[in-house]
Coordinates of all heavy atoms in Angstrom, one line a residue:
S1 N 67.6 53.6 -68.0 CA 68.6 52.7 -68.6 C 69.7 53.5 -69.2 O 70.8 53.0 -69.5 CB 67.9 51.8 -69.7 OG 67.4 52.6 -70.7
T2 N 69.5 54.8 -69.4 CA 70.6 55.7 -70.0 C 70.8 56.9 -69.1 O 69.8 57.3 -68.3 CB 70.4 56.1 -71.4 OG1 69.2 57.0 -71.4 CG2 70.1 55.0 -72.3
E3 N 71.9 57.5 -69.2 CA 72.1 58.8 -68.4 C 71.1 59.9 -68.8 O 70.6 60.6 -67.9 CB 73.6 59.3 -68.6 CG 73.9 60.5 -67.8 CD 75.3 60.9 -68.0 OE1 76.1 60.3 -68.7 OE2 75.7 62.0 -67.3
E4 N 70.9 60.0 -70.1 CA 69.9 61.0 -70.6 C 68.5 60.7 -70.0 O 67.8 61.7 -69.6 CB 69.9 61.0 -72.1 CG 71.1 61.4 -72.8 CD 72.2 60.4 -72.8 OE1 71.9 59.1 -72.8 OE2 73.4 60.7 -72.8
E5 N 68.1 59.5 -70.0 CA 66.8 59.1 -69.4 C 66.7 59.5 -68.0 O 65.7 60.0 -67.5 CB 66.5 57.6 -69.7 CG 65.1 57.2 -69.2 CD 64.9 55.7 -69.5 OE1 65.6 55.1 -70.3 OE2 63.9 55.2 -68.9
A6 N 67.8 59.1 -67.2 CA 67.8 59.4 -65.8 C 67.7 60.9 -65.5 O 67.0 61.4 -64.6 CB 69.1 58.9 -65.2
K7 N 68.4 61.7 -66.3 CA 68.4 63.2 -66.2 C 67.0 63.7 -66.5 O 66.5 64.6 -65.8 CB 69.4 63.8 -67.0 CG 70.8 63.6 -66.5 CD 71.9 64.3 -67.4 CE 73.3 64.1 -66.9 NZ 74.3 64.7 -67.8
K8 N 66.3 63.2 -67.5 CA 65.0 63.6 -67.8 C 64.0 63.3 -66.7 O 63.2 64.1 -66.3 CB 64.5 62.9 -69.1 CG 63.2 63.3 -69.6 CD 62.8 62.7 -70.9 CE 61.4 63.1 -71.4 NZ 61.1 62.4 -72.6
I9 N 64.1 62.1 -66.1 CA 63.2 61.7 -65.0 C 63.5 62.6 -63.8 O 62.6 63.1 -63.1 CB 63.4 60.2 -64.6 CG1 62.8 59.4 -65.8 CG2 62.8 59.9 -63.3 CD1 63.0 57.9 -65.7
K10 N 64.8 62.9 -63.5 CA 65.1 63.8 -62.4 C 64.5 65.2 -62.6 O 63.9 65.7 -61.7 CB 66.7 63.9 -62.4 CG 67.1 64.8 -61.2 CD 68.6 65.0 -61.2 CE 69.0 66.0 -60.1 NZ 70.5 66.1 -60.0
A11 N 64.5 65.7 -63.8 CA 63.9 67.0 -64.1 C 62.4 66.9 -64.0 O 61.7 67.8 -63.5 CB 64.4 67.5 -65.5
T12 N 61.8 65.9 -64.6 CA 60.4 65.7 -64.7 C 59.8 65.7 -63.3 O 58.7 66.3 -63.0 CB 60.0 64.5 -65.5 OG1 60.5 64.6 -66.8 CG2 58.5 64.3 -65.5
Y13 N 60.4 65.0 -62.4 CA 59.9 64.8 -61.0 C 60.5 65.8 -60.0 O 60.3 65.6 -58.8 CB 60.0 63.3 -60.6 CG 59.1 62.4 -61.4 CD1 59.7 61.7 -62.4 CD2 57.8 62.3 -61.1 CE1 58.9 60.8 -63.2 CE2 57.0 61.5 -61.8 CZ 57.5 60.7 -62.9 OH 56.7 59.9 -63.6
K14 N 61.3 66.7 -60.5 CA 61.9 67.8 -59.7 C 62.6 67.2 -58.5 O 62.4 67.5 -57.4 CB 60.8 68.8 -59.3 CG 60.2 69.5 -60.4 CD 59.1 70.4 -60.0 CE 58.5 71.0 -61.3 NZ 57.1 71.3 -61.2
L15 N 63.5 66.3 -58.8 CA 64.3 65.6 -57.8 C 65.7 66.3 -57.7 O 66.7 65.7 -58.0 CB 64.5 64.1 -58.2 CG 63.2 63.3 -58.4 CD1 63.5 61.9 -59.1 CD2 62.5 63.2 -57.2
A16 N 65.7 67.5 -57.1 CA 66.9 68.3 -57.1 C 68.0 67.6 -56.3 O 69.2 67.8 -56.6 CB 66.5 69.6 -56.4
S17 N 67.7 66.9 -55.3 CA 68.8 66.3 -54.5 C 69.2 64.9 -55.0 O 70.2 64.4 -54.5 CB 68.3 66.1 -53.0 OG 67.2 65.2 -52.9
A18 N 68.6 64.4 -56.1 CA 69.0 63.2 -56.6 C 70.3 63.3 -57.5 O 70.5 64.3 -58.0 CB 67.9 62.6 -57.5
T19 N 71.1 62.3 -57.4 CA 72.3 62.2 -58.2 C 72.2 61.2 -59.3 O 71.8 60.1 -59.1 CB 73.5 61.8 -57.3 OG1 73.6 62.7 -56.2 CG2 74.8 61.8 -58.0
V20 N 72.6 61.6 -60.5 CA 72.6 60.7 -61.6 C 74.0 60.2 -61.7 O 75.0 60.9 -61.9 CB 72.2 61.4 -62.9 CG1 72.4 60.5 -64.1 CG2 70.8 61.9 -62.9
Q21 N 74.2 58.9 -61.6 CA 75.5 58.2 -61.7 C 75.3 56.8 -62.2 O 74.3 56.2 -62.0 CB 76.2 58.2 -60.4 CG 75.6 57.4 -59.3 CD 76.3 57.6 -58.0 OE1 76.3 58.7 -57.4 NE2 76.8 56.5 -57.5
K22 N 76.4 56.3 -62.9 CA 76.3 55.0 -63.4 C 76.6 54.0 -62.3 O 77.6 54.1 -61.7 CB 77.4 54.9 -64.6 CG 77.2 53.7 -65.4 CD 78.2 53.8 -66.6 CE 78.0 52.6 -67.5 NZ 78.8 52.7 -68.7
T23 N 75.7 53.0 -62.2 CA 75.8 52.0 -61.2 C 75.6 50.7 -61.9 O 74.5 50.1 -61.9 CB 74.8 52.2 -60.0 OG1 73.5 52.3 -60.6 CG2 75.1 53.4 -59.2
D24 N 76.7 50.1 -62.4 CA 76.7 48.9 -63.2 C 76.5 47.6 -62.4 O 76.0 46.6 -63.0 CB 77.9 48.8 -64.1 CG 78.0 49.7 -65.2 OD1 76.9 50.1 -65.7 OD2 79.1 50.0 -65.7
Y25 N 76.9 47.6 -61.2 CA 77.0 46.3 -60.4 C 76.0 46.2 -59.3 O 75.6 47.2 -58.7 CB 78.4 46.2 -59.8 CG 79.5 46.2 -60.9 CD1 80.2 47.3 -61.2 CD2 79.7 45.0 -61.6 CE1 81.2 47.4 -62.2 CE2 80.7 45.0 -62.6 CZ 81.4 46.2 -62.9 OH 82.3 46.2 -63.9
A26 N 75.5 45.0 -59.2 CA 74.5 44.6 -58.1 C 74.7 43.2 -57.7 O 75.5 42.4 -58.4 CB 73.1 44.9 -58.6
C27 N 74.1 42.8 -56.6 CA 74.0 41.4 -56.3 C 72.7 40.8 -56.7 O 71.6 41.3 -56.3 CB 74.2 41.2 -54.8 SG 75.8 41.5 -54.2
Q28 N 72.7 39.8 -57.6 CA 71.5 39.1 -58.0 C 71.3 38.0 -57.0 O 72.1 37.2 -56.8 CB 71.6 38.6 -59.4 CG 70.4 37.9 -59.8 CD 70.5 37.3 -61.3 OE1 71.1 37.9 -62.1 NE2 69.9 36.2 -61.5
V29 N 70.1 38.1 -56.3 CA 69.8 37.1 -55.3 C 68.8 36.1 -55.7 O 68.4 35.2 -54.9 CB 69.3 37.8 -54.0 CG1 70.5 38.6 -53.3 CG2 68.2 38.7 -54.2
G30 N 68.3 36.1 -56.9 CA 67.4 35.1 -57.4 C 66.9 35.4 -58.8 O 66.8 36.6 -59.2
E31 N 66.4 34.4 -59.5 CA 65.8 34.5 -60.7 C 64.5 33.6 -60.6 O 64.7 32.4 -60.3 CB 66.7 34.1 -61.9 CG 66.0 34.2 -63.2 CD 67.0 33.9 -64.4 OE1 67.7 34.8 -64.8 OE2 67.1 32.7 -64.8
F32 N 63.4 34.2 -60.9 CA 62.1 33.5 -60.6 C 61.2 33.5 -61.8 O 61.0 34.5 -62.5 CB 61.4 34.1 -59.4 CG 62.3 34.1 -58.2 CD1 63.1 35.2 -57.9 CD2 62.3 33.0 -57.4 CE1 63.9 35.1 -56.8 CE2 63.1 32.9 -56.3 CZ 63.9 34.0 -55.9
S33 N 60.5 32.4 -62.1 CA 59.4 32.4 -63.0 C 58.1 32.2 -62.3 O 57.0 32.5 -62.8 CB 59.6 31.2 -64.0 OG 59.7 30.0 -63.4
N34 N 58.2 31.8 -61.0 CA 57.0 31.7 -60.2 C 56.9 32.9 -59.2 O 57.8 33.1 -58.4 CB 57.2 30.4 -59.3 CG 56.0 30.1 -58.4 OD1 55.7 31.0 -57.6 ND2 55.4 29.0 -58.6
E35 N 55.9 33.6 -59.4 CA 55.7 34.9 -58.6 C 55.7 34.6 -57.1 O 56.3 35.4 -56.4 CB 54.4 35.6 -59.0 CG 54.3 36.9 -58.4 CD 53.0 37.7 -58.9 OE1 52.4 37.3 -59.9 OE2 52.7 38.7 -58.3
A36 N 55.1 33.6 -56.7 CA 55.1 33.3 -55.2 C 56.5 33.1 -54.7 O 56.8 33.6 -53.6 CB 54.2 32.1 -55.0
D37 N 57.3 32.3 -55.4 CA 58.7 32.1 -54.9 C 59.5 33.4 -54.8 O 60.2 33.6 -53.9 CB 59.4 31.1 -55.8 CG 58.8 29.7 -55.8 OD1 58.2 29.3 -54.8 OD2 59.1 28.9 -56.7
G38 N 59.3 34.2 -55.8 CA 60.0 35.5 -55.9 C 59.5 36.4 -54.7 O 60.3 37.0 -54.1
M39 N 58.2 36.4 -54.4 CA 57.7 37.2 -53.3 C 58.2 36.7 -52.0 O 58.5 37.5 -51.1 CB 56.2 37.3 -53.4 CG 55.6 38.1 -54.5 SD 56.3 39.8 -54.5 CE 55.6 40.4 -52.9
N40 N 58.3 35.4 -51.9 CA 58.8 34.8 -50.6 C 60.3 35.3 -50.3 O 60.6 35.7 -49.2 CB 58.7 33.3 -50.6 CG 57.3 32.8 -50.4 OD1 56.5 33.5 -49.9 ND2 57.1 31.6 -50.9
M41 N 61.1 35.3 -51.4 CA 62.5 35.7 -51.2 C 62.5 37.2 -51.0 O 63.3 37.7 -50.2 CB 63.3 35.4 -52.5 CG 64.7 35.9 -52.4 SD 65.7 35.3 -51.0 CE 66.3 33.8 -51.7
F42 N 61.7 38.0 -51.7 CA 61.6 39.4 -51.5 C 61.3 39.7 -50.0 O 62.0 40.5 -49.4 CB 60.5 40.0 -52.4 CG 60.4 41.5 -52.4 CD1 61.1 42.2 -53.4 CD2 59.7 42.2 -51.5 CE1 61.1 43.6 -53.5 CE2 59.7 43.6 -51.5 CZ 60.4 44.3 -52.5
K43 N 60.3 39.0 -49.4 CA 59.9 39.2 -48.0 C 61.0 38.8 -47.1 O 61.3 39.5 -46.1 CB 58.7 38.5 -47.7 CG 57.4 39.0 -48.4 CD 56.2 38.2 -48.1 CE 55.0 38.7 -48.9 NZ 53.8 37.8 -48.8
R44 N 61.7 37.7 -47.4 CA 62.8 37.3 -46.6 C 63.9 38.3 -46.5 O 64.5 38.6 -45.5 CB 63.4 35.9 -47.1 CG 64.5 35.4 -46.3 CD 64.9 34.0 -46.9 NE 66.1 33.6 -46.2 CZ 67.0 32.7 -46.7 NH1 66.8 32.2 -47.9 NH2 68.1 32.4 -46.0
L45 N 64.2 38.9 -47.7 CA 65.3 39.9 -47.7 C 64.9 41.2 -47.0 O 65.7 41.7 -46.2 CB 65.6 40.2 -49.2 CG 66.3 39.1 -50.0 CD1 66.2 39.4 -51.5 CD2 67.7 38.9 -49.5
K46 N 63.6 41.6 -47.1 CA 63.1 42.7 -46.4 C 63.2 42.5 -44.9 O 63.6 43.4 -44.1 CB 61.7 43.1 -46.8 CG 61.5 43.6 -48.2 CD 61.6 45.0 -48.3 CE 60.6 45.8 -47.6 NZ 60.7 47.2 -47.7
Q47 N 62.8 41.3 -44.4 CA 62.9 41.0 -43.0 C 64.3 40.9 -42.5 O 64.5 41.1 -41.3 CB 62.2 39.6 -42.8 CG 60.7 39.7 -42.9 CD 60.0 38.3 -42.9 OE1 60.7 37.3 -43.0 NE2 58.7 38.3 -42.8
S48 N 65.3 40.7 -43.4 CA 66.7 40.7 -43.0 C 67.3 42.1 -43.0 O 68.5 42.3 -42.8 CB 67.5 39.8 -43.9 OG 67.0 38.5 -43.8
G49 N 66.5 43.1 -43.4 CA 66.9 44.5 -43.3 C 67.4 45.0 -44.7 O 68.1 46.1 -44.7
Y50 N 67.2 44.3 -45.7 CA 67.6 44.7 -47.1 C 66.5 45.3 -47.9 O 65.3 45.2 -47.5 CB 68.2 43.5 -47.8 CG 69.5 43.0 -47.2 CD1 69.4 41.8 -46.5 CD2 70.7 43.7 -47.3 CE1 70.6 41.3 -45.9 CE2 71.8 43.2 -46.7 CZ 71.8 42.0 -46.0 OH 72.9 41.6 -45.4
F51 N 66.8 46.0 -49.0 CA 65.8 46.6 -49.8 C 66.0 46.1 -51.2 O 66.6 46.6 -52.1 CB 66.0 48.2 -49.8 CG 65.8 48.8 -48.5 CD1 66.9 49.0 -47.6 CD2 64.6 49.1 -48.1 CE1 66.7 49.6 -46.4 CE2 64.4 49.7 -46.8 CZ 65.4 49.9 -46.0
P52 N 65.4 44.9 -51.4 CA 65.5 44.3 -52.8 C 64.6 45.0 -53.8 O 63.7 45.7 -53.5 CB 64.9 42.9 -52.5 CG 63.9 43.0 -51.4 CD 64.5 44.1 -50.5
Y53 N 65.0 44.7 -55.0 CA 64.2 45.3 -56.2 C 64.2 44.2 -57.3 O 65.1 43.4 -57.4 CB 64.7 46.6 -56.7 CG 66.1 46.7 -57.1 CD1 66.4 46.5 -58.5 CD2 67.1 46.8 -56.2 CE1 67.8 46.6 -58.9 CE2 68.5 46.9 -56.6 CZ 68.8 46.8 -57.9 OH 70.1 46.8 -58.3
A54 N 63.1 44.2 -58.0 CA 63.0 43.2 -59.1 C 63.0 43.9 -60.5 O 62.6 45.1 -60.6 CB 61.6 42.5 -59.0
I55 N 63.6 43.2 -61.4 CA 63.6 43.7 -62.8 C 63.1 42.5 -63.6 O 63.6 41.4 -63.6 CB 65.0 44.1 -63.3 CG1 65.5 45.3 -62.5 CG2 65.0 44.4 -64.8 CD1 66.9 45.7 -62.8
Q56 N 62.1 42.8 -64.4 CA 61.4 41.8 -65.2 C 62.3 41.6 -66.5 O 62.7 42.5 -67.1 CB 60.0 42.2 -65.6 CG 59.3 41.1 -66.3 CD 57.8 41.4 -66.4 OE1 57.3 42.4 -65.9 NE2 57.0 40.5 -67.0
K57 N 62.6 40.3 -66.8 CA 63.5 40.0 -67.9 C 62.7 39.3 -69.0 O 63.3 39.0 -70.1 CB 64.6 39.1 -67.4 CG 65.6 39.9 -66.6 CD 66.3 41.0 -67.4 CE 67.3 41.7 -66.6 NZ 68.0 42.8 -67.3
G58 N 61.5 39.0 -68.8 CA 60.7 38.3 -69.8 C 59.3 38.2 -69.3 O 59.0 38.7 -68.2
R59 N 58.4 37.7 -70.1 CA 57.0 37.6 -69.7 C 56.8 37.0 -68.3 O 56.0 37.5 -67.5 CB 56.2 36.9 -70.8 CG 54.7 36.9 -70.5 CD 53.9 36.4 -71.6 NE 52.5 36.4 -71.3 CZ 51.7 35.5 -71.6 NH1 52.0 34.5 -72.4 NH2 50.4 35.6 -71.3
N60 N 57.5 35.9 -68.1 CA 57.3 35.2 -66.8 C 58.6 35.0 -66.1 O 58.9 34.0 -65.5 CB 56.7 33.8 -67.1 CG 55.3 33.9 -67.6 OD1 54.5 34.7 -67.1 ND2 54.9 33.1 -68.6
L61 N 59.5 35.9 -66.2 CA 60.8 35.8 -65.6 C 61.2 37.2 -65.0 O 61.2 38.2 -65.7 CB 61.9 35.4 -66.7 CG 63.3 35.2 -66.2 CD1 63.4 34.0 -65.2 CD2 64.2 35.0 -67.3
F62 N 61.6 37.1 -63.8 CA 62.2 38.3 -63.2 C 63.3 38.0 -62.2 O 63.4 36.8 -61.8 CB 61.1 39.2 -62.5 CG 60.4 38.5 -61.3 CD1 60.9 38.7 -60.0 CD2 59.3 37.6 -61.5 CE1 60.2 38.1 -58.9 CE2 58.7 37.0 -60.4 CZ 59.2 37.2 -59.1
R63 N 64.1 39.0 -62.0 CA 65.3 38.8 -61.1 C 65.2 39.7 -59.9 O 64.8 40.9 -60.1 CB 66.6 39.0 -61.9 CG 66.8 38.0 -63.1 CD 68.0 38.3 -63.8 NE 68.1 37.3 -64.9 CZ 68.7 37.5 -66.1 NH1 69.3 38.7 -66.3 NH2 68.8 36.6 -67.0
L64 N 65.7 39.2 -58.8 CA 65.8 40.0 -57.6 C 67.2 40.5 -57.4 O 68.1 39.7 -57.5 CB 65.3 39.3 -56.4 CG 63.8 39.1 -56.2 CD1 63.5 38.3 -54.9 CD2 63.1 40.4 -56.2
Y65 N 67.4 41.7 -57.0 CA 68.7 42.3 -56.8 C 68.7 43.1 -55.5 O 67.7 43.5 -55.0 CB 69.0 43.4 -57.9 CG 69.1 42.8 -59.3 CD1 67.9 42.8 -60.1 CD2 70.2 42.3 -59.8 CE1 68.0 42.3 -61.4 CE2 70.3 41.8 -61.1 CZ 69.2 41.8 -61.9 OH 69.2 41.3 -63.2
L66 N 70.0 43.2 -55.1 CA 70.3 44.1 -53.9 C 71.4 45.0 -54.4 O 72.3 44.6 -55.0 CB 70.7 43.3 -52.7 CG 69.6 42.5 -52.0 CD1 70.3 41.6 -50.9 CD2 68.5 43.4 -51.4
G67 N 71.3 46.3 -54.0 CA 72.4 47.2 -54.3 C 72.5 47.7 -55.7 O 71.9 47.1 -56.6
A68 N 73.2 48.8 -55.8 CA 73.5 49.3 -57.1 C 74.9 50.1 -56.9 O 74.9 51.1 -56.2 CB 72.5 50.3 -57.6
Y69 N 75.9 49.6 -57.5 CA 77.3 50.1 -57.2 C 78.0 50.5 -58.5 O 77.9 49.9 -59.5 CB 78.1 49.0 -56.5 CG 77.4 48.6 -55.2 CD1 76.7 47.4 -55.1 CD2 77.5 49.4 -54.0 CE1 76.0 47.1 -53.9 CE2 76.9 49.0 -52.9 CZ 76.2 47.8 -52.8 OH 75.6 47.5 -51.7
E70 N 78.9 51.5 -58.3 CA 79.8 51.9 -59.4 C 80.9 50.9 -59.6 O 81.3 50.7 -60.7 CB 80.4 53.3 -59.1 CG 79.4 54.4 -59.1 CD 80.1 55.7 -58.8 OE1 80.9 56.2 -59.7 OE2 79.9 56.3 -57.8
K71 N 81.4 50.3 -58.5 CA 82.5 49.4 -58.5 C 82.1 48.0 -58.2 O 81.3 47.8 -57.3 CB 83.6 49.9 -57.6 CG 84.1 51.3 -57.9 CD 85.1 51.7 -56.8 CE 85.6 53.1 -57.1 NZ 86.4 53.6 -56.0
R72 N 82.7 47.1 -58.9 CA 82.5 45.7 -58.7 C 82.8 45.3 -57.2 O 82.1 44.5 -56.6 CB 83.3 44.8 -59.7 CG 83.0 43.4 -59.5 CD 83.7 42.5 -60.6 NE 83.3 41.1 -60.4 CZ 82.3 40.6 -61.0 NH1 81.5 41.3 -61.8 NH2 82.0 39.3 -60.8
S73 N 83.9 45.9 -56.7 CA 84.4 45.5 -55.3 C 83.3 45.9 -54.3 O 83.2 45.2 -53.3 CB 85.7 46.3 -55.0 OG 85.5 47.7 -55.1
E74 N 82.5 46.9 -54.5 CA 81.5 47.3 -53.6 C 80.4 46.2 -53.6 O 79.9 45.9 -52.5 CB 80.9 48.7 -54.0 CG 81.9 49.8 -53.8 CD 81.4 51.1 -54.5 OE1 80.8 51.0 -55.6 OE2 81.6 52.1 -53.9
A75 N 80.0 45.7 -54.7 CA 79.0 44.6 -54.8 C 79.6 43.4 -54.2 O 78.8 42.6 -53.6 CB 78.6 44.4 -56.3
E76 N 80.8 43.1 -54.4 CA 81.5 41.9 -53.8 C 81.4 42.0 -52.3 O 81.3 41.0 -51.6 CB 82.9 41.8 -54.3 CG 82.9 41.3 -55.8 CD 84.3 41.4 -56.4 OE1 85.2 42.1 -55.9 OE2 84.5 40.8 -57.5
A77 N 81.6 43.2 -51.7 CA 81.5 43.3 -50.3 C 80.1 42.9 -49.8 O 80.0 42.2 -48.7 CB 81.9 44.7 -49.9
L78 N 79.1 43.4 -50.5 CA 77.7 43.0 -50.1 C 77.5 41.5 -50.3 O 76.9 40.8 -49.4 CB 76.7 43.7 -51.0 CG 75.2 43.4 -50.7 CD1 74.8 43.5 -49.3 CD2 74.3 44.1 -51.7
Q79 N 78.1 40.9 -51.3 CA 77.9 39.5 -51.6 C 78.5 38.7 -50.4 O 77.9 37.7 -49.9 CB 78.6 39.1 -52.8 CG 78.5 37.6 -53.2 CD 79.3 37.2 -54.4 OE1 80.4 37.8 -54.7 NE2 78.9 36.2 -55.1
Q80 N 79.7 39.1 -49.9 CA 80.3 38.5 -48.7 C 79.4 38.6 -47.5 O 79.3 37.6 -46.7 CB 81.7 39.1 -48.5 CG 82.7 38.7 -49.6 CD 84.0 39.4 -49.4 OE1 84.2 40.1 -48.4 NE2 84.9 39.1 -50.3
E81 N 78.8 39.8 -47.3 CA 77.9 40.0 -46.2 C 76.7 39.0 -46.2 O 76.3 38.4 -45.3 CB 77.4 41.4 -46.2 CG 76.4 41.8 -45.1 CD 75.9 43.2 -45.2 OE1 76.7 44.1 -45.5 OE2 74.7 43.4 -45.0
L82 N 76.2 38.9 -47.4 CA 75.0 38.0 -47.6 C 75.4 36.6 -47.4 O 74.6 35.8 -46.8 CB 74.5 38.2 -49.1 CG 73.8 39.6 -49.4 CD1 73.6 39.7 -50.9 CD2 72.5 39.8 -48.6
Q83 N 76.6 36.2 -47.9 CA 77.0 34.8 -47.7 C 77.1 34.5 -46.2 O 76.8 33.4 -45.8 CB 78.4 34.6 -48.4 CG 78.8 33.2 -48.4 CD 80.1 33.0 -49.2 OE1 80.7 34.0 -49.7 NE2 80.5 31.8 -49.4
K84 N 77.6 35.4 -45.4 CA 77.8 35.2 -44.0 C 76.4 34.9 -43.3 O 76.3 34.3 -42.3 CB 78.5 36.3 -43.3 CG 79.9 36.4 -43.6 CD 80.6 37.6 -43.0 CE 82.0 37.8 -43.4 NZ 82.6 39.0 -42.8
K85 N 75.3 35.5 -43.9 CA 74.0 35.3 -43.4 C 73.3 34.2 -44.1 O 72.1 34.0 -43.9 CB 73.2 36.6 -43.7 CG 73.7 37.8 -42.8 CD 72.9 39.0 -43.0 CE 73.4 40.1 -42.1 NZ 72.6 41.3 -42.2
G86 N 74.0 33.4 -44.9 CA 73.4 32.2 -45.5 C 72.5 32.6 -46.8 O 71.7 31.8 -47.2
L87 N 72.7 33.8 -47.3 CA 72.0 34.2 -48.5 C 72.9 34.1 -49.7 O 73.9 34.8 -49.8 CB 71.4 35.6 -48.3 CG 70.4 35.8 -47.2 CD1 70.2 37.2 -46.9 CD2 69.1 35.1 -47.6
K88 N 72.5 33.3 -50.7 CA 73.3 33.1 -51.9 C 73.0 34.3 -52.8 O 71.9 34.7 -53.0 CB 73.0 31.8 -52.6 CG 73.5 30.6 -51.8 CD 73.2 29.3 -52.5 CE 73.7 28.1 -51.7 NZ 73.6 26.9 -52.4
S89 N 74.1 34.7 -53.5 CA 74.0 35.8 -54.5 C 75.1 35.7 -55.5 O 76.1 35.0 -55.2 CB 73.9 37.2 -53.8 OG 75.2 37.5 -53.3
Q90 N 75.0 36.5 -56.5 CA 76.1 36.6 -57.5 C 76.2 38.0 -57.9 O 75.2 38.7 -58.1 CB 76.0 35.7 -58.7 CG 74.8 35.9 -59.5 CD 74.7 34.9 -60.7 OE1 75.6 34.1 -60.8 NE2 73.7 35.0 -61.5
V91 N 77.5 38.5 -58.0 CA 77.7 39.8 -58.5 C 77.5 39.8 -60.0 O 78.0 39.0 -60.7 CB 79.1 40.3 -58.2 CG1 79.4 41.7 -58.8 CG2 79.3 40.4 -56.7
V92 N 76.6 40.8 -60.5 CA 76.3 40.9 -61.9 C 76.4 42.3 -62.4 O 76.4 43.3 -61.6 CB 74.9 40.4 -62.2 CG1 74.8 38.9 -61.9 CG2 73.9 41.2 -61.4
K93 N 76.6 42.5 -63.7 CA 76.6 43.8 -64.3 C 75.2 44.0 -64.8 O 74.7 43.1 -65.5 CB 77.6 43.8 -65.4 CG 77.9 45.2 -65.9 CD 79.1 45.3 -66.7 CE 79.4 46.7 -67.0 NZ 80.6 46.9 -67.9
R94 N 74.5 45.0 -64.3 CA 73.1 45.2 -64.6 C 73.0 45.8 -66.0 O 73.8 46.4 -66.6 CB 72.5 46.2 -63.7 CG 72.5 45.8 -62.3 CD 71.8 46.6 -61.3 NE 72.2 48.0 -61.3 CZ 71.4 49.1 -61.1 NH1 70.2 48.9 -60.9 NH2 71.9 50.3 -61.2

């Protein structure tokens, strides 16, 4: 969640080729309180060639995201691509 934490993890796991950079923007493709619904969307995204990830926001609440970008415009480009494929999303600041 912070640059310092990222650098510590990079050192701890000896990730020499990893780059630490701030990536504030992503496409949120869903918010779920039902794990089965979230897993269905996760699988659908994977089958479409994407690499979704989940962040838990509460005891029974998690959000699915795609991408991690420095610039909002980069996330917006992904959002447009998703829209063309019939996948709804919104650009958010993580």
